[in-house]
Amino acid sequence: MKDSVFQGRSLLAEKDFTRAELEFLIDFSEHLKDLKKRGIPHHYLEGKNIALLFEKTSTRTRAAFTTASIDLGAHPEYLGKNDIQLGKKESVEDTAKVLGSMFDGIEFRGFSQRVVEQLAEFSGVPVWNGLTDEWHPTQMIADFLTIQENFGKLEGLTVTYVGDGRNNVANSLLVTGSILGVNMRIVSPKSLFPTDEIVNLAQGFAKETGAKILITDDPKTGVAGSDVLYTDVWVSMGEEDKFEERIKLLKPYQINMDLVRATGKENMIVLHCLPAFHDTETVYGEEMKERFGVTEMEITDEVFRSKYARQFDQAENRMHSIKAIMAATLGNLYIPKV
Ligand code: CP
Ligand code: NVA
């Protein structure tokens, strides 16, 4: 049987995949979600071993890779940053060669995009980027699946990311949406605009797909006409010393009911990749209340619990989409045409 276009490939960044390939992964996620709901087995990775490397912490990505591996018949093995030699006592190249000789696929979450690229280069097995400082590609398949579930389509919708416009999730959304023909907007203070490199990349794709791109620091005009408002934490993992400056800078970019109304769309939805600071029920949330008097950050509790919010569907979809990514790239599946 001829290999599919996915077999043996890594998912390091969305830009490496075509529109048709990303659309296939989204649709395949929907199919696997349906199989799961109906209790129909889908052991496409029977007998395979999957390494889960985490330099940074995770709830959703770790849980999704673990349960998706098990549902696919594979064995997941969690290797945390204090469990293995990676980077400290052994080079990424040497670690990759060893892991590639024992595991059939490797997930990596960490700081450097270079590390995930080296793992792919030297392991000889598919490597899936579970988030780096630059990109969060597995998140995107879940996010656009959630959008498709709500609107029945992707092309022509307007998705607006509000907040820290140059973090991993913002980068990934801007580029992925542009590939998919979705109008993408980034609304953030000028000092947190995405880099020219990312904007140029997105504009290149947008030219092919007809997606419209807008980068602005004006929240009200930026969100007008949006079908989806998306936000993420103001301080990403590894930047924990920046809470004070980000709270000052990003307060006008909080997703609250005024901003939701400013979209002018009643059937709009709100997304958040999670975890979210929508109350003070966390260590950081409590600390920020004491230090700066804020009880909510990037999204208000009112919006988080409103009829517009879809963040928990999005979180569940991480599992179905990670399953699709792993099965497509490692499962020897018959995928006739993409
Ligand atoms: N959205 C996301 O990646 O969540 P975790 O950090 O919990 O994995
Ligand atoms: N931008 C966030 C995403 C968490 C899923 C971070 O990197 O911490």
Side-chain angles (χ1 to χ4, degrees):
M1 187 173 73
K2 196 176 170 299
D3 281 348
S4 81
V5 292
F6 292 99
Q7 186 63 27
R9 276 171 76 183
S10 294
L11 175 57
L12 306 179
E14 305 83 346
K15 64 179 166 49
D16 303 331
F17 283 71
T18 65
R19 176 180 186 163
E21 288 167 354
L22 293 177
E23 285 171 349
F24 173 84
L25 290 174
I26 294 164
D27 291 343
F28 189 34
S29 306
E30 201 166 7
H31 171 67
L32 292 176
K33 182 172 183 175
D34 180 55
L35 293 188
K36 173 81 174 173
K37 301 280 176 201
R38 290 194 287 142
I40 299 170
H42 36 283
H43 294 170
Y44 300 134
L45 300 185
E46 193 80 61
K48 302 263 199 277
N49 293 310
I50 309 294
L52 306 180
L53 270 57
F54 282 85
E55 272 181 358
K56 290 177 178 172
T57 53
S58 165
T59 297
R60 276 144 291 274
T61 309
R62 177 179 176 177
F65 267 101
T66 303
T67 51
S69 297
I70 294 167
D71 278 358
L72 289 168
H75 172 85
E77 189 65 29
Y78 178 79
L79 303 167
K81 78 170 178 355
N82 297 321
D83 302 329
I84 57 170
Q85 321 279 19
L86 181 71
K88 279 184 287 236
K89 280 178 66 181
E90 191 164 34
S91 68
V92 179
E93 177 176 347
D94 294 356
T95 305
K97 286 175 179 166
V98 173
L99 294 180
S101 71
M102 300 180 192
F103 289 94
D104 302 284
I106 299 170
E107 179 276 353
F108 173 80
R109 163 172 286 200
F111 295 89
S112 165
Q113 181 71 14
R114 175 92 189 105
V115 171
V116 80
E117 286 168 1
Q118 281 185 298
L119 285 171
E121 186 180 347
F122 295 111
S123 67
V125 299
V127 172
W128 307 293
N129 179 355
L131 178 148
T132 61
D133 289 345
E134 266 179 75
W135 305 110
H136 197 3
T138 67
Q139 176 79 49
M140 292 305 114
I141 306 302
D143 294 349
F144 285 98
L145 168 61
T146 311
I147 295 170
Q148 187 165 283
E149 285 174 336
N150 277 274
F151 295 95
K153 63 169 188 176
L154 291 174
E155 185 164 355
L157 294 173
T158 297
V159 174
T160 303
Y161 175 96
V162 187
D164 174 6
R166 32 99 280 160
N167 76 10
N168 38 24
V169 171
N171 289 344
S172 278
L173 268 179
L174 182 58
V175 170
T176 309
S178 304
I179 298 173
L180 291 168
V182 176
N183 302 321
M184 292 303 309
R185 299 181 188 169
I186 302 282
V187 180
S188 74
K190 284 198 174 76
S191 60
L192 294 176
F193 274 2
T195 63
D196 288 346
E197 197 187 342
I198 302 279
V199 176
N200 290 340
L201 187 63
Q203 261 157 355
F205 289 120
K207 210 181 272 177
E208 287 168 32
T209 62
K212 292 189 208 80
I213 292 177
L214 175 68
I215 318 285
T216 177
D217 65 349
D218 181 350
K220 285 273 158 66
T221 57
V223 303
S226 300
D227 301 290
V228 180
L229 291 188
Y230 193 124
T231 192
D232 183 14
V233 287
W234 288 345
V235 169
S236 285
M237 289 181 275
E239 301 181 320
E240 286 77 6
D241 59 336
K242 293 195 173 0
F243 271 109
E244 186 168 4
E245 64 177 74
R246 292 286 169 76
I247 286 172
K248 282 192 190 131
L249 202 54
L250 285 163
K251 197 78 218 294
Y253 298 87
Q254 179 186 63
I255 297 197
N256 51 36
M257 275 302 178
D258 279 346
L259 213 58
V260 165
R261 279 189 284 270
T263 62
K265 294 233 173 167
E266 185 45 33
N267 68 339
M268 61 81 70
I269 62 168
V270 174
L271 297 180
H272 191 311
C273 55
L274 301 179
F277 291 115
H278 59 97
D279 57 22
T280 54
E281 301 292 313
T282 59
V283 171
Y284 281 123
E286 186 60 39
E287 193 186 321
M288 294 313 126
K289 183 183 166 192
E290 270 172 37
R291 288 177 59 196
F292 311 113
V294 295
T295 54
E296 306 158 316
M297 284 189 259
E298 72 276 7
I299 186 166
T300 61
D301 200 49
E302 186 183 12
V303 174
F304 194 82
R305 295 177 193 280
S306 73
K307 63 179 182 182
Y308 305 108
R310 297 289 185 280
Q311 67 276 3
F312 292 113
D313 293 340
Q314 215 182 331
E316 179 193 323
N317 284 341
R318 297 296 307 286
M319 199 263 284
H320 307 298
S321 52
I322 282 170
K323 206 182 264 183
I325 293 161
M326 290 199 292
T329 53
L330 191 56
N332 286 303
L333 300 184
Y334 178 59
I335 302 169
K337 189 173 176 294
V338 166

